[in-house]
Amino acid sequence: MAKSDDGIRILQGLLVFGNVVIGMCGIALTAECIFFVSDPHGLYPLLEATENDDIYAAAWIGIFVGFALFALSILGIVGVIKSNRTLLLVYIILMLITFAFEMASCITAATHRDFLTPNLFLKQMLERYQKSEKDNNNDKWMTERVTETWDKLMLQNQCCGVHGPSDWQEYTSAFRSTHSDADFPWPRNCCVLDARGSPVNLDGCKLGVQGYYNSNGCYDVISGPMNTHAWGVAWFGFAILCWTFCVLLGTMFYWSRIEY
Amino acid sequence: ALLPYVPRVPPTPLLGKLTATTFTLERPRGVFARLANASDTVWLVVALANASDTFRNPPSRDAVPLYEQLPTAHAYMTLETAVAAYACSAPGSAVLRVGGDTACGEQGGRDPCNGPLPSPGPYRVKFLLMSCHGPKAETRWSDPILLRRGTGGTAVPPRSPTPARVGCWHVVL
């Protein structure tokens, strides 16, 4: 009897430890997802205009799942220490539901990363940047936000276009229909601007002289944070799920061993 | 007199040297020194490539075909400049931008307009040295210059008069 008693004690200890880790990871997941949802790089309007912002949905689910994991881990610790069948049953059921939600969030984040290609942003930029005729209110608002985001991106990161300023020369765009090619081979924000916001050398910028225009593309600046976001939500979530799976198995085994 | 110089698009990698409505040329330096007086002017002749053979140098400044006549004459002359700007040691940029002035082209103006080109071309250009008595010397025709196609857009350059603009091609590189 002493031996199985010891065994149960060890199992209890392991389950408590497992639940502590789940609780901490839950808090970390909530914090990480809040960080992503707060959009520190200001890229959300670009995603919103693609009409497919599922990685944001995944982050929102992550916030609530993280909090649920924390609450459930406390329930689990109490249930294990008190060896209460009811508490542990409630814990197992709720944990399975949370597991399912987190699985959905991770898979969404992981698969939607493939959706974010350079061509997606190029098409959106060419169609929406500085578009003048707007179809309806929703369209107008999206266009304004995309234009604002691109202007800010090009100014702060010294970049131009998705692949480079040649995007504005190689493809037609909504911008081209309101800004003549002779005056604006590329938007003004692609020029190197001085402190007051006017180009340092406008003619040099129009010609494409090094030092007076931004010759890099902005794709790295866009995709970097978005990839981090998607991978962060997906892989941290998968890691938590693996650990939670083990703890759940242990809890079910423990639950089956408790005598009434 | 026929000078052996051939105008060309600069070989340096400038992203904006050929757009849908403008192109850039190397500035010829010291090409006219031998023949020119201080009062002479150098014009740039821009002609559609298939009309370059039929172009006749205008006998006087009054007969110069201007930018507005490009659709009918298939050629025009622009960038009227004092010959001193093309001396060997002249300051200023190493390139000339053709088509960069979107504010000119007002009806009735007699000033040579360097307006955006209305079609992708191809165009051929040559420099013409004119004195008060008429043409004095010319360079050879350039190779055909083809502009970008399909991306010209529908934007019409502004027609309203703007305050005096410095010539677009006076760039200190």
Side-chain angles (χ1 to χ4, degrees):
Chain A
M1 281 315 289
K3 205 164 168 211
S4 79
D5 224 21
D6 272 347
I8 290 291
R9 285 259 172 262
I10 292 174
L11 183 58
Q12 266 185 332
L14 284 176
L15 287 178
V16 168
F17 171 70
N19 276 300
V20 165
V21 171
I22 290 179
M24 295 196 303
C25 287
I27 302 256
L29 183 67
T30 302
E32 186 200 21
C33 290
I34 288 179
F35 175 70
F36 288 136
V37 165
S38 72
D39 193 24
H41 298 276
L43 296 172
Y44 181 64
L46 297 184
L47 263 189
E48 199 185 12
T50 66
E51 296 180 5
N52 191 338
D53 54 358
D54 281 354
I55 55 174
Y56 270 84
W60 275 106
I61 293 176
I63 294 178
F64 295 111
V65 162
F67 202 67
L69 284 175
F70 175 68
L72 284 177
S73 72
I74 295 180
L75 179 68
I77 291 173
V78 169
V80 163
I81 291 179
K82 292 202 170 161
S83 294
N84 185 325
R85 279 188 85 109
T86 323
L87 272 183
L88 283 179
L89 188 61
V90 168
Y91 167 82
I92 290 172
I93 292 173
L94 289 179
M95 199 52 121
L96 282 172
I97 295 174
T98 310
F99 194 93
F101 271 103
E102 180 60 14
M103 184 70 94
S105 159
C106 292
I107 292 178
T108 307
T111 55
H112 264 88
R113 207 193 66 77
D114 295 336
F115 179 66
L116 305 174
T117 58
N119 275 347
L120 175 72
F121 294 110
L122 179 63
K123 182 163 182 283
Q124 185 195 80
M125 179 185 81
L126 293 171
E127 279 178 5
R128 288 205 185 266
Y129 182 74
Q130 304 250 13
K131 181 170 162 194
S132 54
E133 328 97 37
K134 287 126 191 181
D135 302 324
N136 53 44
N137 263 340
N138 192 32
D139 190 55
K140 174 169 180 279
W141 184 67
M142 257 196 238
T143 297
E144 275 170 25
R145 301 253 304 199
V146 169
T147 302
E148 216 179 283
T149 304
W150 269 105
D151 280 336
K152 195 169 57 89
L153 262 180
M154 295 199 283
L155 185 62
Q156 288 177 350
N157 300 291
Q158 281 91 52
C159 61
C160 181
V162 172
H163 301 112
S166 53
D167 286 344
W168 300 104
Q169 283 291 304
E170 284 173 33
Y171 304 99
T172 48
S173 52
F175 174 75
R176 186 56 66 224
S177 30
T178 45
H179 294 77
S180 71
D181 169 83
D183 267 338
F184 295 93
W186 32 75
R188 276 292 175 266
N189 276 32
C190 289
C191 298
V192 172
L193 302 174
D194 62 20
R196 277 173 304 161
S198 47
V200 166
N201 188 328
L202 185 57
D203 294 318
C205 176
K206 288 186 199 173
L207 274 175
V209 179
Q210 286 296 335
Y212 297 126
Y213 80 122
N214 302 325
S215 47
N216 309 322
C218 298
Y219 182 63
D220 287 334
V221 170
I222 297 174
S223 70
M226 282 196 191
N227 282 345
T228 313
H229 171 150
W231 283 137
V233 171
W235 290 112
F236 189 46
F238 277 131
I240 294 178
L241 287 179
C242 288
W243 182 265
T244 309
F245 182 68
C246 299
V247 171
L248 262 181
L249 276 183
T251 313
M252 286 186 215
F253 176 73
Y254 181 72
W255 182 81
S256 67
R257 287 285 174 168
I258 300 177
E259 290 139 13
Y260 277 111
Chain B
L2 182 63
L3 300 165
Y5 176 77
V6 177
R8 60 174 188 166
V9 174
T12 48
L14 292 175
L15 196 58
K17 64 183 176 185
L18 282 179
T19 71
T21 54
T22 68
F23 62 94
T24 310
L25 294 171
E26 257 185 357
R27 178 193 285 266
R29 288 199 191 278
V31 170
F32 307 104
R34 195 168 48 86
L35 299 164
N37 296 333
S39 59
D40 296 341
T41 54
V42 177
W43 289 77
L44 179 72
V45 181
V46 181
L48 287 170
N50 50 12
S52 62
D53 293 329
T54 53
F55 180 79
R56 295 287 159 259
N57 295 336
S60 69
R61 195 190 179 280
D62 293 330
V64 161
L66 293 181
Y67 171 72
E68 294 78 5
Q69 292 159 278
L70 176 60
T72 47
H74 301 302
Y76 71 106
M77 291 170 57
T78 183
L79 290 186
E80 178 188 22
T81 327
V83 69
Y86 294 103
C88 270
S89 53
S93 79
V95 297
L96 303 172
R97 190 163 184 250
V98 180
D101 196 353
T102 51
C104 66
E106 289 294 295
Q107 54 276 34
R110 285 304 303 170
D111 294 327
C113 177
N114 185 19
L117 297 161
S119 73
Y123 296 96
R124 298 181 83 176
V125 300
K126 70 174 181 182
F127 289 93
L128 191 60
L129 178 67
M130 295 212 25
S131 66
C132 10
H133 306 295
K136 221 167 162 180
E138 57 182 349
T139 65
R140 303 174 86 87
W141 284 105
S142 69
D143 290 331
I145 298 171
L146 186 61
L147 304 182
R148 283 190 186 270
R149 280 163 297 180
T151 60
T154 54
V156 176
R159 288 261 167 218
S160 56
T162 56
R165 288 161 60 112
V166 176
C168 305
W169 29 269
H170 285 300
V171 170
V172 178
L173 284 177

